[in-house]
């Protein structure tokens, strides 16, 4: 897998003024002390620790909601080839994947935390200058979303994307128009941004995706109905012939299972699949990287 590592991504985001949440990067840390993190973030602040490699690797280890002492113990046990990114912990209310093209921004938003095993249907905003198009489908309904807080840990509850959240995405995207276009120019190709919305920091980019779907993907109006497709709901299910809707959930730590599943799809000659979980989802990214066309399914 090529592209930028997370450490380099932080630099790019900082250079363009896109980074709102403070992030401290430790490149290949041999040793980090708790007093360093307490000095940077405060003695009682809970932290998120992410790891990065030299390239655009996904599903690397991370730690959420940890004290400085716990974070340091975890960091110092990591393999030496990983960089570490430390930031303050805050409640994530909703998540956004944003694709940036020249003249077009497309945002997919889901309530709570957007993970590899996400099955949530996103709300989709297409922004072309003053024109805004909203695609709701199942994404406009209440869904069981995943949240995390220090008291309850990881948990699920019914939620949906509200109007104020859509307005926030639109306002942020327009406010950052110049910065996004400057990043687009620097990279020389369309790209994606993963954003979290938290109570203290608002919308803040977490990562940069080195690729985005072909821009024509968003113009297609002939997406097949789910009634016209065969639904595949597990990675060990037989691969059907004909239109296929993937509705699979793969845990973060089981990324190898996803790799094997995508290989099975290619071996079976699958050239195109439909997803409810968004064209910017982790699953969609992995499928495109394998040369499989990904389309959005309508209910």
């Amino acid at each position: 897998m090529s592209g930028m590592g997370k450490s380099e991504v932080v630099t790019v985001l900082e250079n363009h003024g896109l980074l709102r949440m403070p992030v401290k990067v430790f490149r290949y840390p041999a040793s980090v002390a708790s007093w360093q993190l307490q000095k940077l973030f405060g003695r009682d602040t809970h932290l998120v620790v992410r790891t990065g490699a030299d390239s655009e690797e996904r599903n690397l280890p991370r730690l959420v909601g940890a004290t400085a002492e716990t974070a340091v113990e975890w960091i110092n046990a990591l393999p030496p080839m990983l960089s570490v990114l430390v930031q303050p912990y805050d409640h994530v209310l909703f998540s956004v994947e944003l694709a940036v093209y020249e003249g077009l921004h497309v945002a997919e938003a889901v309530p709570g935390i957007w993970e590899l095993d996400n099955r949530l249907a996103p709300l989709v905003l297409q922004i072309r200058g003053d024109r805004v198009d909203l695609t709701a489908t199942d994404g406009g309904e209440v869904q069981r979303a995943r949240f995390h807080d220090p008291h309850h840990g990881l948990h699920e509850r019914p939620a949906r994307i509200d109007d104020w959240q859509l307005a926030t995405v639109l306002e942020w995207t327009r406010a950052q128009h110049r910065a996004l276009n400057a990043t687009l120019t620097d990279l020389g190709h369309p790209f994606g941004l993963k954003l979290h919305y938290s109570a203290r920091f608002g919308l803040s980019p977490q990562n940069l995706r080195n690729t985005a779907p072909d821009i024509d993907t968003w113009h297609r109006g002939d997406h097949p109905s789910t009634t016209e497709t065969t639904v595949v709901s597990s990675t060990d299910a037989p691969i059907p012939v004909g239109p296929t809707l993937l509705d699979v959930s793969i845990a973060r730590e089981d990324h190898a299972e996803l790799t094997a599943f995508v290989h099975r799809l290619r071996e079976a000659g699958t050239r195109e699949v439909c997803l409810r979980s968004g064209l910017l989802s982790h699953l969609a990214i992995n499928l495109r990287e394998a040369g499989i066309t990904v389309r959005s399914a309508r209910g």
Side-chain angles (χ1 to χ4, degrees), residues 90-290:
D90 202 5
H91 299 282
V92 176
L93 302 183
F94 68 94
S95 302
V96 178
E97 292 281 353
L98 178 70
V100 179
Y101 309 88
E102 185 175 354
L104 173 66
H105 297 147
V106 182
E108 293 185 337
V110 301
I113 304 168
W114 192 332
E115 291 287 14
L116 170 67
D117 59 354
N118 167 63
R119 281 181 168 176
L120 300 180
L123 278 172
V124 183
L125 279 178
Q126 295 190 40
I127 305 164
R128 298 179 181 86
D130 293 333
R131 177 178 174 178
V132 180
D133 295 315
L134 172 65
T135 303
T137 61
D138 294 341
E141 304 299 324
V142 173
Q143 304 178 82
R144 288 200 66 81
R146 186 172 302 169
F147 297 86
H148 187 284
D149 67 64
H151 303 292
H152 303 95
L154 194 63
H155 62 282
E156 293 185 356
R157 62 177 172 82
R160 59 175 292 175
I161 291 293
D162 294 324
D163 290 345
W164 73 265
Q165 295 170 334
L166 290 175
T168 298
V169 174
L170 178 59
E171 179 182 356
W172 186 90
T173 304
R174 285 178 167 168
Q176 303 299 332
H177 179 78
R178 289 186 178 179
L180 293 171
N181 281 355
T183 306
L184 182 66
T185 299
D186 284 355
L187 295 177
H189 54 75
F191 66 95
L193 278 182
K194 176 182 180 179
L195 302 109
H196 284 167
Y197 181 93
S198 62
R200 280 191 294 165
F201 299 101
L203 270 177
S204 185
Q206 297 293 299
N207 204 358
L208 186 150
R209 316 294 192 194
N210 204 45
T211 61
D214 187 276
I215 193 170
D216 291 337
T217 302
W218 306 105
H219 302 314
R220 293 173 178 166
D222 59 344
H223 300 171
S225 167
T226 56
T227 60
E228 301 167 354
T229 60
T230 301
V231 179
V232 174
S233 56
S234 69
T235 57
D236 57 359
I239 306 299
V241 177
T244 302
L245 171 66
L246 297 186
D247 187 23
V248 298
S249 178
I250 302 170
R252 180 184 181 87
E253 59 272 16
D254 294 330
H255 189 260
E257 182 181 334
L258 172 59
T259 302
F261 177 57
V262 173
H263 179 73
R264 285 183 60 221
L265 289 170
R266 291 189 60 186
E267 289 293 301
T270 302
R271 296 185 177 182
E272 182 177 288
V273 298
C274 298
L275 299 179
R276 290 194 187 98
S277 57
L279 299 182
L280 305 177
S281 64
H282 292 72
L283 179 56
I285 293 170
N286 281 273
L287 289 164
R288 278 195 299 273
E289 289 178 345

Side-chain angles (χ1 to χ4, degrees), residues 15-68:
N15 289 344
H16 290 287
L18 290 167
L19 198 65
R20 295 187 61 176
M21 180 179 290
V23 179
K24 174 61 177 178
V25 177
F26 297 91
R27 296 181 182 274
Y28 316 109
S31 178
V32 177
S34 59
W35 67 264
Q36 293 176 282
L37 301 185
Q38 291 171 351
K39 183 178 180 180
L40 287 166
F41 300 104
R43 180 174 296 274
D44 299 322
T45 301
H46 284 75
L47 304 170
V48 173
V49 185
R50 296 182 290 148
T51 55
D54 288 334
S55 60
E56 189 184 354
E57 298 289 340
R58 290 187 289 274
N59 307 299
L60 291 171
R62 71 177 177 197
L63 183 66
V64 178
T67 64

